[in-house]
Amino acid sequence: MTQAQYQNGPDSNGLFGQFGGRYVAETLMPLILDLSREYEAAKHDPAFAAELAYFQRDYVGRPSPLYFAQRLTEHCGGAKIYLKREELNHTGAHKINNCIGQILLARRMGKQRIIAETGAGMHGVATATVAARFGLQCVIYMGSTDIERQQANVFRMKLLGAEVIPVTAGTGTLKDAMNEALRDWVTNVQSTFYLIGTVAGPHPYPAMVRDFQAVIGKETREQLQAAEGRLPDSLVACIGGGSNAMGLFHPFLNDESVEIIGVEAAGHGIDTGKHAASLNGGRPGVLHGNRTFLLQDEDGQIIDAHSISAGLDYPGIGPEHAWLHDIGRVQYTSVTDHEALAAFHQCCRLEGIIPALESAHALAEVFKRAPTLPGDHLMVVNLSGRGDKDMQTVMHHLDLAKQETH
Amino acid sequence: MSRLHTRFNELKAHNRAALVTFVTSGDPDYDTSLAILKGLPDAGADVIELGMPFTDPMADGPAIQLANIRALAAKQTLAKTLQMVRDFRVGNATTPLVLMGYYNPIHSYGVERFIAEASEAGVDGLIVVDLPPEHNGELCDPAQAAGLDFIRLTTPTTDDNRLPTVLTGSSGFVYYVSVAGVTGAGAATAEHVSDALARLRRHTDLPISVGFGIRTPEQAAAIARLAEGVVVGSALVDQIAKANHPGEAVEGVLGLCRQLAEGVRKARVSAG
């Protein structure tokens, strides 16, 4: 092969290599096939593109800046570090990029009711936001553990008019919320649009969410071209389901000079078993509509993920990431809760930016990697969300740290 | 000739519907679950569906979710479920038994190994909720090649365009999910079921069993007048949930099974 072909997936069955597919109950199949057709039509409709571009610009606030992080760069003493400022988007994270796209599709399909799952609450807030904007009924499923640690976001969703339904099954985190959202969808399939927040689930969701998030990478490409006159040397992003990472990575996949690094959440450490690193600590299986890498025991039962960051607390990963891992195009590494917290504090003090704990995982990788690289190495990090939602969690950990030193 | 085929033919000759019962294997524990399984044929179950527990039963309502949690807490595994079928077959050679569940535990066990061991154990068919016909190559085709029936779910959303796709490769019987929803949700009207069956029969000669939301002997009788099979799951599983001790669980399930069987057996007589 002379020209790399990493951007062509998935095939018509929604497969990226052996990953992806449509593993769902029959009740949902006709609707999922319908969604595939509608999305294909919308993708080729200039009116849809124009409407999407309008809302991206005037409602979300795109393009988001590509910011040269001078102090971070000086501190690391190596690679030249740029931050893609997705945390400056309306609602404070990259999630809104996908929500705007899907809500326009839902409207096109005549759906009156929107449901979504949420972990940290950022996708829930973004969904509640666009549902409010278009006057649609909105129901958000959220694990009870996550509700506890993300109360501010729960309140935001309610302010925006969404109903937030706590899910107590399992460990009350993102996986359980997704099960419950799927149950709702199966029950209300004709009236309801399921607005999935990440590049996972049955086809066409992984490809569709990627396409809506790819604006991140497309802008980055143009912005870095303007600033430096060339492509980046490396890209770094955190991965739960993997939508912010896929959005940044996808437009660069065929540029083989660009090193691409995805950062999973290692929680307490991969060897402790308390982590959320599906690629580094899991194996292939089938859950939530797709074949991908999963945290599972020897009997194929799903193991609960652990991460300090609710947004990464998921035992699976988008199937395109599983494929990119399998073929070796993207390198997937992991950082622990502790490393992410340290990076969180460094980013606050060095750049005056409070990052989401999710994004702090990507920053932790930057702190490891950048110092070893030359000054002309251009590194772009996706600052996927802001950290306001994480104040409670960070305060709790500061208290714990204080107690340990006394 | 498969046990399912034989059983549905026998019942057709007797002009009555099959009572198809669902319980989750290992719920609330292996021994109690096996006692229930062994008692079901004498309590009037014509076909047995045995659930393979999974941590994330996305198409199930609260009753069967809890059954899965109880079984997994009691350390039920897929290997033990296959062992339970072997134990059941020691005393029963005729009642058809279908394993029902989700794909991942089978995927993890290894499809080839699972099919070989299930056939050897005396399993007659499989229902795998999250494997639509688009993925037939993975399990449905090799299972049928090994002589296992593959039972498809059809639903109110499966329209005429899609039915041939769904029915291709179906064998044993067709399971009509009468309401769009999770297991244990509200029941469909007799009129809806009647219309749906007429539509399905234009596409298949296989016996059709109707499930979802059927809880009482009266409801079972109403469906038994229309379909070749009546599936009851959540109502039986609820008997295990509310039992105070294993003996009560066994008697609760079998007692309800007897009542349902009576409803099913009288249905066409009283109607005709």
Side-chain angles (χ1 to χ4, degrees), chain A residues 293-373:
Chain A
F293 276 73
L294 300 173
L295 303 182
Q296 54 183 319
D297 69 12
E298 66 282 358
D299 197 42
Q301 306 297 341
I302 306 305
I303 296 172
D304 289 310
H306 169 84
S307 170
I308 188 172
S309 140
L312 304 181
D313 212 343
Y314 180 68
I317 184 166
E320 193 167 7
H321 285 296
W323 176 67
L324 291 167
H325 168 71
D326 214 37
I327 62 172
R329 173 61 185 100
V330 176
Q331 192 187 331
Y332 293 90
T333 176
S334 66
V335 308
T336 63
D337 288 353
H338 187 75
E339 291 168 327
L341 267 174
F344 172 92
H345 288 294
Q346 293 270 39
C347 185
C348 293
R349 297 294 178 92
L350 286 168
E351 291 293 348
I353 297 171
I354 301 175
L357 282 172
E358 290 78 7
S359 317
H361 283 71
L363 291 166
E365 182 63 23
V366 170
F367 283 110
K368 290 183 194 176
R369 201 169 279 259
T372 69
L373 295 165

Side-chain angles (χ1 to χ4, degrees), chain B residues 161-192:
Chain B
N161 289 331
R162 183 162 171 80
L163 264 178
T165 309
V166 174
L167 294 170
T168 301
S170 292
S171 56
F173 65 94
V174 174
Y175 187 146
Y176 181 64
V177 172
S178 59
V179 286
V182 294
T183 52
T189 62
E191 192 187 358
H192 168 88

Side-chain angles (χ1 to χ4, degrees), chain A residues 11-311:
Chain A
D11 68 13
S12 58
N13 294 314
L15 292 170
F16 302 91
Q18 61 160 314
F19 301 102
R22 291 182 175 112
Y23 297 87
V24 294
E26 177 56 32
T27 310
L28 296 178
M29 272 310 289
L31 278 293
I32 282 173
L33 294 171
D34 197 30
L35 177 63
S36 288
R37 280 187 295 270
E38 292 281 348
Y39 176 55
E40 279 307 309
K43 216 162 55 169
H44 298 105
D45 179 354
F48 184 82
E51 198 179 19
L52 181 59
Y54 165 75
F55 281 102
Q56 283 176 337
R57 189 188 66 227
D58 289 358
Y59 191 67
V60 176
R62 302 207 71 88
S64 69
L66 182 70
Y67 161 73
F68 169 50
Q70 189 186 342
R71 292 246 297 149
L72 191 58
T73 299
E74 284 166 8
H75 175 87
C76 289
K80 190 170 182 184
I81 302 162
Y82 281 87
L83 302 179
K84 181 60 173 164
R85 301 285 306 275
E86 289 297 302
E87 101 283 9
L88 292 177
N89 293 335
H90 181 37
T91 72
H94 70 291
K95 292 293 186 186
I96 190 95
N97 301 331
N98 165 51
C99 289
I100 278 288
Q102 285 196 51
I103 201 103
L104 293 177
L105 191 61
R107 269 203 331 164
R108 198 182 155 97
M109 294 176 73
K111 303 290 184 185
Q112 291 300 314
R113 180 173 179 271
I114 305 296
I115 59 169
E117 82 295 337
T118 195
M122 297 311 280
H123 176 56
V125 167
T127 303
T129 297
V130 296
R133 169 60 184 78
F134 291 101
L136 300 175
Q137 188 194 348
C138 182
V139 175
I140 305 291
Y141 290 93
M142 187 168 184
S144 52
T145 305
D146 288 339
I147 285 181
E148 191 58 40
R149 57 181 168 175
Q150 302 290 349
Q151 285 172 12
N153 270 347
V154 175
F155 187 65
R156 289 166 82 194
M157 287 183 263
K158 289 181 178 168
L159 277 177
L160 292 160
E163 183 187 358
V164 180
I165 300 186
V167 179
T168 53
T171 44
T173 58
L174 183 53
K175 161 183 93 104
D176 310 297
M178 196 151 181
N179 288 336
E180 213 51 39
L182 281 164
R183 291 182 185 118
D184 179 313
W185 198 24
V186 143
T187 307
N188 302 293
V189 68
Q190 300 293 1
S191 66
T192 296
F193 188 97
Y194 182 12
L195 209 162
I196 293 183
T198 192
V199 286
H203 179 64
Y205 283 100
M208 177 170 70
V209 176
R210 173 200 71 198
D211 293 347
F212 289 137
Q213 290 293 0
V215 66
I216 301 171
K218 286 176 193 159
E219 286 176 6
T220 299
R221 223 182 150 91
E222 284 173 18
Q223 289 166 324
L224 200 67
Q225 189 65 37
E228 300 278 354
R230 66 181 182 91
L231 288 170
D233 296 299
S234 62
L235 305 172
V236 182
C238 67
I239 298 192
S243 70
N244 90 79
M246 195 52 70
L248 176 64
F249 297 170
H250 194 261
F252 293 99
L253 287 177
N254 285 349
D255 300 294
E256 293 196 87
S257 67
V258 181
E259 191 184 0
I260 305 181
I261 300 112
V263 185
E264 295 192 297
H268 294 181
I270 289 182
D271 51 0
T272 65
K274 290 185 82 70
H275 62 84
S278 319
L279 293 176
N280 286 294
R283 59 192 173 88
V286 173
L287 181 71
H288 293 156
N290 58 163
R291 185 206 302 275
T292 188
F293 276 73
L294 300 173
L295 303 182
Q296 54 183 319
D297 69 12
E298 66 282 358
D299 197 42
Q301 306 297 341
I302 306 305
I303 296 172
D304 289 310
H306 169 84
S307 170
I308 188 172
S309 140

Side-chain angles (χ1 to χ4, degrees), chain B residues 230-253:
Chain B
V230 181
V231 188
V232 182
S234 297
L236 292 168
V237 163
D238 280 342
Q239 296 293 323
I240 299 174
K242 72 180 194 191
N244 294 312
H245 57 83
E248 211 174 297
V250 176
E251 201 29 59
V253 173

Side-chain angles (χ1 to χ4, degrees), chain B residues 110-197:
Chain B
V111 165
E112 234 178 277
R113 176 182 167 212
F114 172 75
I115 290 171
E117 293 183 20
S119 305
E120 168 270 321
V123 171
D124 300 291
L126 303 175
I127 301 174
V128 184
V129 179
D130 53 353
L131 264 184
E134 281 73 5
H135 292 288
N136 268 354
E138 294 200 31
L139 179 62
C140 173
D141 296 347
Q144 289 186 328
L148 291 171
D149 282 319
F150 206 86
I151 292 111
R152 287 273 166 222
L153 304 178
T154 64
T155 74
T157 60
T158 317
D159 59 23
D160 283 321
N161 289 331
R162 183 162 171 80
L163 264 178
T165 309
V166 174
L167 294 170
T168 301
S170 292
S171 56
F173 65 94
V174 174
Y175 187 146
Y176 181 64
V177 172
S178 59
V179 286
V182 294
T183 52
T189 62
E191 192 187 358
H192 168 88
V193 172
S194 176
D195 290 350
L197 290 174

